[in-house]
Amino acid sequence: MKLPSTLKVIGSMAFRNCRSLTEVDLPHSVERIGLDAFMECSSLQSLTIPASVVDLYDRHSLPVFPHTDSGPYVIPEKCFAFYGCSSLSSIVVEEGNPVYDSRDNCNAIIRKEDNSLLFGCRSTVIPESASKIADYAFEGSSMESIVIPCGIDSVGTRAFAGCSKLEEVIVEASYPPAVPYRSDSFSQGAGIFPTYGSLTKILLPNAFAEVYQYAWGWSEYKDLFVDSDTARGIDGNISWVLDKETGKLVISGNGPMKDELITPDWRPGGPWI
């Protein structure tokens, strides 16, 4: 589908449920894309965000919602422009975009301001420089595995919900990434990982399963925890890698490094447990 070269705004829900749409050519004139503009375009395979796009959460084109019994209607962050595009395997943000990027050919959309991964697909490789996985970032993706690098300090609500083909999650951080209270980041149910489906393994840094067992949002899935051969961590400008087989610890970077981390329930954890 080719859009007019003078188009500046794609309105909310403009192409919602266009399930036969396989490709779209976004013109370089587009500046804002409305909430759920391409929601559930389940056959869309590739996506290129022009350098001109500065708003993927545009709310200006939304209709006026009435007040509810509890106050004004609140639009959830779930309403992302490309929510439900489950067939996507390629995501590129053009160079020069002032707000977003797809650094390191990660096949995802990263917000530069806070290094949050806003939206990913089945072939996403989360970059080491990303610090957050946003709410609903991978919801409904057809991915089979994902690596959460040690730089990630939080995983948003329902970030991996509906990933029915997800079999393995590899977490590199020794300190458990924060999970929102009552979140279901990996699930369609009450916890962060699905209580049903294909997920069979959560690979954790060697010797740190006990730390995760006491962390909010992770502890209830201890039966899926498996120790990896290495442990990694980032503490400010310092990074470290511990090899299980050789017992070798490699520390790189400059600056102070904490000798202890505290898990959410105040049990000690970190590189020196």
Side-chain angles (χ1 to χ4, degrees):
M1 177 177 65
K2 189 174 180 63
L3 299 173
S5 60
T6 56
L7 185 66
K8 289 189 175 182
V9 179
I10 298 176
S12 174
M13 304 183 188
F15 299 99
R16 181 178 179 178
N17 290 326
C18 291
R19 300 182 185 276
S20 61
L21 181 66
T22 58
E23 59 179 322
V24 59
D25 184 4
L26 297 177
H28 288 83
S29 57
V30 173
E31 298 174 357
R32 304 200 309 268
I33 301 178
L35 301 180
D36 288 347
F38 293 89
M39 179 180 180
E40 301 294 350
C41 291
S42 55
S43 297
L44 189 63
Q45 298 177 13
S46 63
L47 175 65
T48 299
I49 304 296
S52 56
V53 174
V54 295
D55 191 351
L56 291 171
Y57 289 92
D58 180 39
R59 296 167 184 262
H60 296 89
S61 58
L62 282 171
V64 177
F65 288 89
H67 279 51
T68 65
D69 292 340
S70 58
Y73 182 82
V74 178
I75 303 297
E77 288 297 332
K78 178 179 179 178
C79 298
F80 185 72
F82 303 98
Y83 167 72
C85 296
S86 56
S87 295
L88 274 174
S89 59
S90 174
I91 302 175
V92 176
V93 179
E94 289 186 345
E95 291 188 11
N97 189 299
V99 179
Y100 309 107
D101 65 45
S102 54
R103 65 193 67 170
D104 304 326
N105 298 314
C106 64
N107 278 311
I109 299 174
I110 310 287
R111 184 168 54 206
K112 294 180 177 181
E113 180 182 19
D114 58 359
N115 293 315
S116 289
L117 190 153
L118 301 180
F119 181 66
C121 64
R122 64 186 181 188
S123 55
T124 293
V125 176
I126 302 175
E128 293 282 349
S129 58
S131 61
K132 304 177 188 300
I133 299 176
D135 295 350
Y136 313 100
F138 292 95
E139 184 170 16
S141 170
S142 58
M143 65 171 59
E144 296 180 0
S145 65
I146 189 71
V147 176
I148 300 177
C150 54
I152 296 294
D153 55 32
S154 67
V155 179
T157 299
R158 292 186 65 85
F160 295 89
C163 295
S164 60
K165 296 183 179 180
L166 182 62
E167 298 179 359
E168 180 182 71
V169 176
I170 301 172
V171 186
E172 294 187 338
S174 59
Y175 184 70
V179 175
Y181 183 65
R182 302 182 71 85
S183 168
D184 48 0
S185 298
F186 287 83
S187 76
Q188 300 181 50
I192 62 170
F193 292 96
T195 54
Y196 59 91
S198 58
L199 184 61
T200 59
K201 183 190 302 182
I202 302 171
L203 201 63
L204 299 175
N206 177 250
F208 287 90
E210 184 176 358
V211 180
Y212 278 77
Q213 287 178 12
Y214 296 104
W216 168 256
W218 299 87
S219 58
E220 62 192 282
Y221 299 99
K222 60 184 179 182
D223 291 342
L224 296 177
F225 292 168
V226 177
D227 275 348
S228 68
D229 292 332
T230 59
R232 301 173 183 271
I234 293 179
D235 185 2
N237 294 323
I238 300 294
S239 63
W240 57 271
V241 178
L242 174 64
D243 188 279
K244 174 183 178 181
E245 184 175 344
T246 64
K248 184 178 181 180
L249 175 66
V250 178
I251 302 174
S252 59
N254 296 293
M257 184 176 183
K258 297 177 183 178
D259 62 357
E260 184 178 276
L261 296 175
I262 302 296
T263 60
D265 70 341
W266 308 112
R267 293 177 182 268
W272 317 124
I273 61 172

